[in-house]
Amino acid sequence: MSVSEISPADLRILKQLQSSGRMTNQELAEKVGMAASPCWRRMKHLEDSGVITGYQANIDRKKIGLGLLAFIRVKIDSHSEEDAQSFEQEVGALPSVIACYAIAGDADFLLQVVAKDLDSFSSFAMEVVRRLPGIKEMQTSFVLREVKPLDVLPLEGI
């Protein structure tokens, strides 16, 4: 599904699901001003086409003991496709890495990492991340306060 195929009704559905993914189809249909059956068909189409990739609960990381949030900028030695894929596979298997991005600029990858505290982060960074294949350099930035954490995607103007 391309951006041009997303209708205003689809956008209303997506906006409602981003704010509350637990509502019933009937509740969703009422909120977006549709009958239940067409609403369900549109939602199913959004799922089948990959626009909706899943449903999950938003969890307060601090309340479950993950008080530290950091970003690690990583440079790798080699920029071959094979080495980059190897690095990506290794990082993908690390539960403490909650997001990883291949980036342009003075680093190759940006890792978003959670940890219990500074000591556990230090162990993870030095014993796990530092030993990943092809690491040339890494630089960490610690989050002092989340000003605007990822919550919902902007759907206006699409």
Side-chain angles (χ1 to χ4, degrees):
M1 176 179 269
S2 70
V3 172
S4 63
E5 296 175 85
I6 296 176
S7 71
D10 293 335
L11 288 173
R12 290 193 309 272
I13 289 170
L14 293 171
K15 187 172 184 177
Q16 289 300 319
L17 289 174
Q18 280 193 129
S19 68
S20 178
R22 289 189 66 176
M23 71 179 79
T24 66
N25 182 60
Q26 183 63 41
E27 292 169 323
L28 177 62
E30 289 171 11
K31 287 189 182 272
V32 299
M34 297 177 71
S37 291
C39 181
W40 181 85
R41 282 193 298 275
R42 283 186 174 276
M43 189 176 73
K44 182 77 172 125
H45 180 68
L46 290 166
E47 292 170 350
D48 292 344
S49 64
V51 173
I52 296 174
T53 59
Y55 299 88
Q56 64 191 30
N58 295 328
I59 299 169
D60 184 327
R61 67 178 171 78
K62 295 174 197 166
K63 290 186 179 176
I64 61 167
L66 297 172
L68 187 134
L69 179 61
F71 290 90
I72 305 174
R73 298 172 64 82
V74 174
K75 290 183 186 180
I76 57 175
D77 286 327
S78 169
H79 292 91
S80 74
E81 184 71 24
E82 184 179 310
D83 290 340
Q85 284 180 351
S86 174
F87 178 83
E88 290 172 15
Q89 287 175 343
E90 295 277 341
V91 167
L94 300 174
S96 293
V97 176
I98 59 172
C100 176
Y101 306 94
I103 61 174
D106 63 348
D108 300 306
F109 293 94
L110 180 66
L111 284 57
Q112 186 175 11
V113 177
V114 292
K116 181 177 145 186
D117 53 29
L118 188 55
D119 289 338
S120 61
F121 174 82
S122 178
S123 295
F124 175 74
M126 299 313 290
E127 297 169 14
V128 178
V129 178
R130 182 60 99 187
R131 294 183 179 155
L132 289 173
I135 295 266
K136 178 179 179 180
E137 185 180 317
M138 57 188 258
Q139 178 184 21
T140 301
S141 296
F142 294 103
V143 173
L144 300 176
R145 181 171 44 103
E146 290 178 272
V147 176
K148 185 179 178 181
L150 175 63
D151 185 27
V152 296
L153 295 175
L155 299 177
E156 293 74 26
I158 292 179

